[in-house]
Amino acid sequence: MQTTVGTNTLTLVQAVTDGMRTMLREKEEVIVMGEDVGKNGGVFRATDGLQSEFGDDRVIDTPLSEAGFTGAAIGMAVNGFLPIVEIQFLGFVYPAYEQIMTHASRIRARTMGHYSVPMVIRAPYGAGVRAPEIHSDSVETLFTHMPGIKVVCPSSPYDAKGLLIASIEDPDPVLFMEPMRNYRSSREEVPEDKYTVEIGKGKRISEGEDVSVIAWGAMVPVAEKAVKKMEEKGVSCDLIDLRTLYPLDKDLIAESVQKTGRTVIVQEAHATSGVANDVISVINDTSFLYQKAPIERVTGFDTPVPFFAYEDHYLPTPDRVMKSIEKVISF
């Protein structure tokens, strides 16, 4: 018997909208909050049309106070709601950091499991869209270092909808990072109905034998371009999209690295204290004796993300990734 699953061809940001709409329809406890998310449809139009469909008591325009509406969402989550908070840009999350660090991530432990905070904090992140200062930060490590919150970062429309629904259904807070460069850069078939992608599981995008290339979010297409060019030179790469930055998929990382013995990690964020360093720790813990070459990192630099005229010089490029692949191959 054959079954037919209806799909739509969506961009990543449209898939995010579709995920929120799916859950707003299914659960009346789901609410959306943030600056301009209602009538205006959000700074990237991710919430476009949701207020007119579900009303202004479920899609709520808030004052310009990230700390205020994030704190309000924490209180709502403790009392049975499932809030989705939109931070317009990840760099705007700093005023809300205190609420997330001292309350959202700790209430389960603080109350010995009597209460939890099932909320999602959506945040577009990263450079490459010619935005002003503080609009292009990639500071995921501030949150992967924080016990009690999961950090998710899809790179494709299919994964965006499935991971967002999984995040909304998660009993604990989730930071949902959305790569702005990927918002409208490609389209993919996305099921119309509800589905989930498991949090904490990465994805192998291409199979290879020579080098493991590990990336996430906006760096996945960059790594893909490098991997395809290296294939023309006879080098095959195992390309891994982590999809979740905390908790990491340690099994997938170990399986790939134990096969190839060579690793290149591509990270948009600053070099120091990045998630790439945590991936290296996983490799040392699980696969140290399989290594045939020192691990290479391709990262941003330890400076604030520069204004848009210089951001191309800051971001990792396919050429930089290729040079690192060639370096581990020739070691």
Side-chain angles (χ1 to χ4, degrees), residues 38 92 184 231 277 323:
F92 294 1
R184 295 178 173 85
E231 284 177 357
N277 298 356
K323 287 178 181 175

Side-chain angles (χ1 to χ4, degrees), residues 12-23 30 32 46-47 50 83-85 119-123 152-154 156-170 174-178 194-199 243:
L12 193 151
V13 70
Q14 289 173 330
V16 169
T17 309
D18 196 30
M20 286 190 285
R21 179 177 285 111
T22 298
M23 295 307 291
V30 174
V32 176
T47 55
L50 298 183
I84 305 168
V85 167
M119 67 183 289
V120 176
I121 303 162
R122 292 184 40 247
V152 172
C153 186
S156 69
Y158 180 91
D159 287 344
K161 179 177 176 179
L163 280 167
L164 180 58
I165 292 174
S167 300
I168 295 168
E169 294 187 326
D170 195 278
V174 177
L175 175 66
F176 192 85
M177 295 176 55
E178 300 168 8
K194 178 184 175 183
Y195 66 94
T196 59
V197 172
E198 185 177 354
I199 294 174
R243 300 196 295 191

